[in-house]
């Protein structure tokens, strides 16, 4: 059964979420369709261009992404504190970049003479916009609706382009964020589309590698205006249990190690030179590798994290438990 997003997204519990959208039936988001012979590779640039635009407008930051042939993954951080610092003028300006503004709001912002009732009405509208600019559903809606309209126009058709609303998983602690980011960045390798992270086109790990090797400007240009990424060194918890203790080089080392293990198909065996990041975060290395290799295909798993965090999050949402607690209890070792 589909769950309302208010049962999945709770910013007081965590600000990190894994979002997935998949095309309906035989529709192609990107890549080459062997059945029709059409090439949709250029649409990957559409996705990154739109994500970059929305990241500038919304108080949402991209931690990881992967654009595949018929779906895409995003690991997002919602920064509600930043939106609270915006003035009413800035909120209205941001909203106007996506949608039209009522004349009443423009009159109030210009300082024209209006009644108290009209001024209160305008303030309520701006307050609603402010809440939407930190709303994950509005971010994904603005992304998916834009892509669907553009793809349908190119295909000369109408109707549904996405198979449904985006899937969402709450990432409750730093170990969950690390695991999910690795899973997302290694999608092309698991799918047999690439052999190394640096060959994994349209992924955040490839952008990070390019940024370290050739600089920010060249990397963005080579990746066709892909969105700026949140530096792992600079991520803050914002009052949550998301305190990151690993750097970008740490993360790249981990993804490279995991990617080599996946390509070499060393199931059940951990290669030598295991990154120390796993030990620092108390993650079981063998189960981590298995999880990133296979992933979770069960959409009922709506949260990832250590068992105490999952119990706490379930209680806040009025549920007895989250599916997958036992699995993640084995994946993440006790921090005590």
């Amino acid at each position: 059964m589909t769950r309302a997003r208010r049962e999945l997204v709770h910013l007081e519990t965590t600000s990190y979420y894994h979002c997935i959208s998949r095309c309906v039936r035989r529709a192609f988001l990107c890549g080459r369709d062997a059945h029709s012979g059409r090439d949709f590779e250029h649409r990957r640039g559409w996705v990154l261009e739109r994500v970059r635009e929305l990241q500038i407008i919304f108080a949402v930051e991209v931690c990881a992404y992967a654009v595949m042939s018929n779906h895409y993954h995003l690991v997002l951080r919602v920064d509600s504190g930043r939106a609270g610092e915006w003035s009413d003028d800035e909120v209205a300006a941001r909203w106007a970049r996506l949608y039209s503004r009522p004349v009443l709001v423009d009159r109030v912002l210009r300082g024209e003479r209006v009644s108290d009732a009209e001024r209160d009405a305008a303030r309520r509208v701006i307050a609603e916009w402010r809440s939407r600019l930190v709303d994950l559903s509005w971010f994904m809606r603005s992304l998916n609706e834009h892509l669907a309209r553009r793809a349908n126009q190119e295909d000369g058709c109408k109707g549904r382009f996405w198979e449904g609303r985006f899937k969402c998983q709450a990432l409750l602690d730093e170990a969950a964020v690390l695991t999910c980011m690795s899973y997302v960045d290694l999608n092309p390798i698991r799918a047999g589309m690439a052999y190394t992270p640096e060959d994994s086109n349209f992924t955040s790990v490839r952008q990070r590698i390019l940024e370290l090797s050739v600089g920010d400007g060249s990397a963005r240009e080579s990746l066709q205006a892909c969105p700026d990424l949140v530096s792992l060194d600079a991520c803050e918890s914002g009052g949550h249990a998301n305190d990151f203790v690993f750097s970008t080089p740490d993360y790249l080392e981990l993804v490279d190690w995991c990617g080599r293990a996946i390509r070499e198909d060393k199931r059940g065996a951990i290669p030598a030179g295991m990154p120390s990041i796993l030990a620092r975060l108390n993650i079981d290395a063998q189960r981590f590798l298995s999880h990133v290799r296979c992933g979770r295909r069960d959409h009922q798993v709506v949260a990832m994290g250590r068992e105490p965090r999952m119990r706490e999050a379930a209680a806040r949402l009025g549920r007895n438990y989250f599916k997958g607690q036992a699995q993640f209890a084995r994946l993440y070792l006790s921090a005590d």
Side-chain angles (χ1 to χ4, degrees):
M1 179 182 298
T2 302
R3 295 186 179 276
R5 288 303 177 270
R6 65 176 177 272
E7 298 183 22
L8 304 177
V9 179
H10 192 263
L11 297 183
E12 293 182 4
T13 300
T14 182
S15 54
Y16 293 88
Y17 295 88
H18 173 209
C19 299
I20 313 159
S21 282
R22 187 177 299 273
C23 296
V24 68
R25 295 188 293 277
R26 292 192 58 84
F28 262 70
L29 172 62
C30 308
R32 182 180 295 276
D33 183 359
H35 180 74
S36 66
R38 296 186 61 186
D39 188 358
F40 301 100
E41 191 70 20
H42 60 283
R43 291 181 179 176
R44 297 183 193 269
W46 294 1
V47 179
L48 299 184
E49 177 186 357
R50 185 62 171 180
V51 169
R52 184 183 186 185
E53 179 183 5
L54 294 178
Q55 184 177 236
I56 295 173
I57 297 171
F58 284 77
V60 176
E61 299 167 332
V62 179
C63 298
Y65 67 84
V67 184
M68 306 298 287
S69 60
N70 67 344
H71 69 284
Y72 68 81
H73 295 262
L74 293 174
V75 177
L76 302 173
R77 175 179 179 260
V78 182
D79 189 355
S80 54
R82 180 160 61 97
E85 299 173 355
W86 294 337
S87 65
D88 287 350
D89 286 342
E90 184 173 359
V91 169
R94 287 173 179 267
W95 187 257
R97 296 182 63 174
L98 293 174
Y99 304 103
S100 61
R101 297 191 316 200
V103 175
L104 175 61
V105 173
D106 288 335
R107 291 178 58 200
V108 171
L109 293 178
R110 286 197 300 264
E112 296 182 9
R113 181 176 297 179
V114 296
S115 67
D116 291 340
E118 289 176 321
R119 183 176 292 102
D120 291 341
R123 299 304 181 193
R124 286 195 297 270
V125 170
I126 294 174
E128 184 178 4
W129 291 344
R130 189 187 302 274
S131 66
R132 289 178 178 180
L133 291 175
V134 293
D135 190 316
L136 207 58
S137 291
W138 273 92
F139 181 92
M140 295 298 293
R141 170 183 175 173
S142 301
L143 173 60
N144 284 347
E145 183 177 312
H146 172 84
L147 295 175
R149 289 180 183 275
R150 195 168 179 180
N152 283 349
Q153 182 179 19
E154 183 180 65
D155 295 339
C157 66
K158 298 180 180 179
R160 186 181 293 274
F161 183 72
W162 305 104
E163 68 176 9
R165 292 196 68 186
F166 68 96
K167 305 299 188 297
C168 181
Q169 292 178 324
L171 307 176
L172 303 178
D173 53 36
E174 75 285 347
V177 175
L178 175 67
T179 305
C180 191
M181 287 176 59
S182 302
Y183 169 79
V184 168
D185 275 329
L186 289 170
N187 256 255
I189 292 179
R190 294 198 336 273
M193 298 168 58
Y195 283 88
T196 62
E198 56 268 29
D199 295 331
S200 300
N201 293 325
F202 295 92
T203 61
S204 52
V205 68
R206 183 173 188 269
Q207 178 178 338
R208 284 193 168 96
I209 292 171
L210 288 175
E211 288 178 350
L212 286 179
S213 60
V214 298
D216 292 351
S218 300
R220 279 191 201 100
E221 183 178 353
S222 66
L223 285 178
Q224 302 179 12
C226 58
D228 298 327
L229 292 175
V230 180
S231 170
L232 297 185
D233 307 277
C235 284
E236 297 178 356
S237 64
H240 309 302
N242 295 122
D243 298 313
F244 288 90
V245 293
F246 53 91
S247 64
T248 299
D250 278 336
Y251 177 71
L252 295 180
E253 179 187 1
L254 175 65
V255 173
D256 182 69
W257 166 82
C258 196
R260 292 176 187 274
I262 290 173
R263 290 304 308 174
E264 295 171 9
D265 198 26
K266 296 183 179 179
R267 186 177 299 274
I270 298 299
M274 181 188 73
S276 60
I277 181 174
L278 295 181
R280 296 203 308 273
L281 294 181
N282 296 301
I283 299 177
D284 183 291
Q286 187 167 354
R287 294 188 184 278
F288 174 87
L289 183 59
S290 177
H291 183 94
V292 174
R293 185 199 308 271
C294 301
R296 289 290 302 186
R297 296 180 175 88
D298 190 342
H299 298 316
Q300 295 184 36
V301 176
V302 298
M304 292 176 56
R306 293 185 174 88
E307 189 175 14
R309 289 283 294 160
M310 293 187 72
R311 287 199 302 267
E312 175 188 343
R316 288 190 176 187
L317 296 177
R319 301 175 60 178
N320 294 327
Y321 67 95
F322 280 138
K323 186 172 182 180
Q325 284 186 193
Q327 175 200 5
F328 296 121
R330 294 190 295 269
L331 177 62
Y332 307 124
L333 304 176
S334 173
D336 298 331

